[in-house]
Amino acid sequence: MGAIVSVLLSLVPPGGHVVATKDSYWEARMFIQNKLSLMGITATFVDMNDMDSLKEVLQNNKVSLFYADSPSNPLLNCLDIRKVSELCHSHGALVFIDSSLASPINQKPLILGADLVLHSATKYISEHHDVVGGCVSGSENLISKIRSCHYDLGSPLVPDAAYMIIRGMKTLHLRVETQNNTALKMAHLLEKHPRVAGDLQATMKFVDSLRLPYIATSFGGCESLVQQPAVMSFWDYSAAERAKIGIKDNMIRFSFGIEKFEDLAADILQALQKL
Ligand SMILES: Cc1ncc(COP(=O)(O)O)c(C=O)c1O
Ligand SMILES: *[C@@H]1O[C@H](CO)[C@@H](O)[C@H](O)[C@H]1NC(C)=O
């Protein structure tokens, strides 16, 4: 969050306008809506890839910055970064992409035309569920504008966290490849399974019956994590609010770690058997 806030405070002037996607990281969205507004900064939230709305906002406002998570969390909507970057740049707006869910191995937004890319290093980059940190990459010109702000906010990385991140990154490509393969194989295994359906209660029972993954938020670490957004990240939303943003009662978010695929699959199948 320190990195996200530093970018917003450094690059959006008072009276500026921010465009963000509707399913961008919730805390960041709340910051834009409730705190930036106090500085006279206005914001519009658009649907991912709704180019017509984006074009309209760009034409009618002096947009300083476009901000999106891609893939989004937890719905995994993906942005056409190249197309959005071309459109935003033609109106003088910077493009800022939170690429935490893809990891730097699976998506490189700067190559696709974005100006700034953010990673919550708490996730894949550190990978061991023991560090809170973040990073922003972009041109030297933009980064030098952001640098002083993260000191002002008191959010520089502490040395022991920096050390753990450097150590963790050496195996990033190996871990992401394993996590990637596990996720794809699991999707194939489950897409035709007759018990993958159910209501809020059945889903809670399934999650509680799992023995390997930890029930927790966050993602991208060595240990598999599982969570049911309707009763965890979005516990304080009404059913109607959740439905509006696409959080179904029976939605489960897995973040696979680097355990053996066979062990994870056996665990999921035994928990399904309990339903
Ligand atoms: C997509 C995304 N971006 C940013 C963050 C914020 O990360 P941190 O906890 O490292 O501040 C999160 C946290 O869950 C996230 O999911
Ligand atoms: C992850 O899986 C996707 C889809 O199969 C593939 O395109 C990508 O190259 C994979 N990445 C790694 C690091 O294996």
Side-chain angles (χ1 to χ4, degrees):
M1 261 315 276
I4 299 173
V5 170
S6 297
V7 169
L8 293 168
L9 289 179
S10 310
L11 300 178
V12 187
H17 193 91
V18 174
V19 189
T21 44
K22 280 184 189 161
D23 58 354
S24 50
Y25 180 51
W26 186 250
E27 303 297 333
R29 190 184 158 154
M30 286 301 103
F31 178 80
I32 292 171
Q33 210 165 282
N34 302 334
K35 307 270 168 49
L36 283 188
S37 56
L38 302 175
M39 297 167 209
I41 293 169
T42 51
T44 311
F45 297 92
V46 295
D47 283 321
M48 185 89 91
N49 295 319
D50 178 353
M51 293 295 163
D52 293 336
S53 302
L54 177 59
K55 207 175 279 178
E56 204 180 307
V57 184
L58 287 162
Q59 276 161 1
N60 297 332
N61 301 273
K62 175 84 197 80
V63 176
S64 313
L65 187 118
F66 171 86
Y67 162 71
D69 295 15
S70 180
S72 69
N73 178 14
L75 295 173
L76 305 179
N77 290 319
C78 290
L79 184 74
D80 187 335
I81 298 175
R82 206 185 291 275
K83 214 158 139 192
V84 164
S85 299
E86 276 168 21
L87 183 59
C88 287
H89 291 159
S90 71
H91 287 82
L94 293 169
V95 175
F96 175 35
I97 304 295
D98 182 337
S99 195
S100 302
L101 257 97
S103 86
I105 305 291
N106 278 328
Q107 179 171 265
K108 296 180 170 44
L110 297 180
I111 292 176
L112 300 172
D115 300 284
L116 290 159
V117 56
L118 177 124
H119 284 279
S120 165
T122 313
K123 314 293 178 350
Y124 288 98
I125 289 183
S126 63
E127 271 258 8
H128 292 74
H129 295 138
D130 51 9
V131 163
V132 175
C135 58
V136 191
S137 321
S139 68
E140 194 177 348
N141 174 38
L142 288 177
I143 298 297
S144 60
K145 288 184 186 159
I146 300 161
R147 196 179 289 280
S148 69
C149 190
H150 95 293
Y151 288 114
D152 296 342
L153 291 173
S155 65
L157 204 58
V158 292
D160 60 339
Y163 168 75
M164 292 208 277
I165 290 172
I166 290 170
R167 196 174 147 135
M169 275 201 310
K170 291 176 188 170
T171 51
L172 178 64
H173 60 297
L174 300 174
R175 290 181 275 102
V176 171
E177 194 181 335
T178 302
Q179 290 167 302
N180 212 52
N181 288 337
T182 296
L184 188 62
K185 280 203 273 187
M186 208 66 81
H188 288 321
L189 176 77
L190 295 177
E191 68 190 344
K192 291 191 194 83
H193 196 289
R195 296 202 183 180
V196 179
D199 58 11
L200 189 79
Q201 295 300 326
T203 308
M204 285 165 73
K205 186 167 176 211
F206 166 77
V207 171
D208 286 338
S209 305
L210 290 164
R211 290 194 287 243
L212 271 184
Y214 289 93
I215 299 175
T217 57
S218 197
F219 58 86
C222 285
E223 298 97 356
S224 291
L225 303 181
V226 64
Q227 72 136 325
Q228 187 178 356
V231 296
M232 289 182 62
S233 308
F234 295 86
W235 65 273
D236 55 345
Y237 283 55
S238 69
E241 283 172 318
R242 289 200 305 269
K244 210 172 121 195
I245 48 178
I247 306 295
K248 293 187 180 151
D249 284 353
N250 65 358
M251 176 186 200
I252 294 174
R253 189 185 77 179
F254 273 104
S255 165
F256 291 113
I258 56 169
E259 303 92 339
K260 265 182 106 83
F261 170 79
E262 290 73 17
D263 293 344
L264 289 165
D267 188 32
I268 289 175
L269 293 175
Q270 69 77 24
L272 283 170
Q273 245 19 70
K274 300 232 163 83
L275 296 180

